[in-house]
Amino acid sequence: MKQSDCQHTCSDFHSAIEFLGRRWMGMILYTLMSGPKRYNEIHSSIDGISDRLLTERLNELVNAALINKNLIDCSNKKVEYELTASGHALKDVIVSIHRWVEVCELEHKSKEASS
Amino acid sequence: MKQSDCQHTCSDFHSAIEFLGRRWMGMILYTLMSGPKRYNEIHSSIDGISDRLLTERLNELVNAALINKNLIDCSNKKVEYELTASGHALKDVIVSIHRWVEVCELEHKSKEASS
């Protein structure tokens, strides 16, 4: 890998991890992994999120092309949010973070048991 | 998985992804993946990070038991920072984010080519 390629990739990695780590972003993506959802369904799945932040994050995800906002009923202007292919591709990231949390917990418990 | 287990795991996932997404956190962890480093080595590896934020993040990582601060020369009080086992276990998370960035870029390029 050339130095310029590495800098490019590192800069993208840096932007990506900070984007995914924005307040509630991970939980919204995790909630949408199980399928398209309406605004109220997402809201009720995530304890503690405010309307302001949910709206802000959904707009950021639409702008980043990670979710689509689909009109599902023209007459009632009903919409739902659905992961795009790039959004679905985050599954491995989400799974790896869940696994890491489990590894840390096991290590913590084994340390407590041996102390 | 019981509902209580799921809520516990989701809460940990939520905390973990937001911790990893704090400003510069990902880049500091990525830099330490290649081995223990002194403060100045980390600082010079990451373009744009301030002394204040690097010090703050390193303290947070020590408190979270993801890195150790090792005294390597008592007479000069030289220290270096090294990932703990839990810190090293983040390798899969970092690799999966790098892969995701590549997938998104390829998708973006193929869309541009077909439009």
Side-chain angles (χ1 to χ4, degrees), chain A residues 39-86:
Chain A
Y39 181 93
N40 284 338
E41 289 178 288
I42 306 171
H43 195 276
S44 62
S45 300
I46 306 174
D47 261 1
I49 194 167
S50 68
D51 274 314
R52 185 184 66 80
L53 271 181
L54 178 53
T55 305
E56 200 173 306
R57 292 294 169 262
L58 288 172
N59 287 336
E60 287 168 355
L61 286 166
V62 169
N63 291 337
L66 297 184
I67 62 172
N68 286 324
K69 186 176 179 176
N70 304 324
L71 195 63
I72 52 170
D73 183 344
C74 294
S75 56
N76 292 310
K77 293 183 182 170
K78 279 188 183 171
V79 296
E80 67 175 13
Y81 297 89
E82 183 180 25
L83 291 173
T84 61
S86 296

Side-chain angles (χ1 to χ4, degrees), chain B:
Chain B
M1 188 183 272
K2 288 180 295 181
Q3 181 71 11
S4 59
D5 284 346
C6 176
Q7 280 175 351
H8 178 59
T9 312
C10 290
S11 153
D12 288 344
F13 165 78
H14 171 58
S15 310
I17 195 166
E18 294 192 4
F19 180 82
L20 299 175
R22 285 185 192 172
R23 192 149 166 73
W24 299 113
M25 196 65 99
M27 286 303 288
I28 296 169
L29 288 162
Y30 177 68
T31 302
L32 287 170
M33 282 286 155
S34 55
K37 289 193 175 47
R38 309 236 14 235
Y39 180 94
N40 284 337
E41 289 177 290
I42 306 170
H43 195 277
S44 62
S45 299
I46 306 174
D47 262 1
I49 193 167
S50 68
D51 274 313
R52 185 184 66 79
L53 272 181
L54 178 53
T55 305
E56 201 172 306
R57 292 295 169 261
L58 288 171
N59 287 336
E60 287 168 357
L61 287 165
V62 169
N63 290 337
L66 296 184
I67 61 171
N68 286 323
K69 186 176 180 176
N70 304 323
L71 194 63
I72 53 170
D73 182 344
C74 294
S75 55
N76 291 311
K77 293 183 181 169
K78 281 186 180 170
V79 296
E80 66 175 15
Y81 296 89
E82 184 179 24
L83 292 173
T84 61
S86 296
H88 271 295
L90 275 167
K91 193 177 175 184
D92 286 349
V93 174
I94 288 177
V95 167
S96 67
I97 294 175
H98 272 290
R99 278 199 196 126
W100 176 67
V101 167
E102 285 166 13
V103 167
C104 290
E105 271 182 17
L106 286 175
E107 204 174 307
H108 184 68
K109 278 180 190 164
S110 84
K111 270 189 189 163
E112 278 187 331
S114 67
S115 65

Side-chain angles (χ1 to χ4, degrees), chain A residues 19-41:
Chain A
F19 181 81
L20 299 175
R22 285 184 194 172
R23 192 148 166 73
W24 300 112
M25 195 66 98
M27 285 303 288
I28 297 168
L29 288 162
Y30 178 68
T31 302
L32 288 169
M33 282 286 154
S34 57
K37 288 191 174 49
R38 310 230 19 233
Y39 181 93
N40 284 338
E41 289 178 288

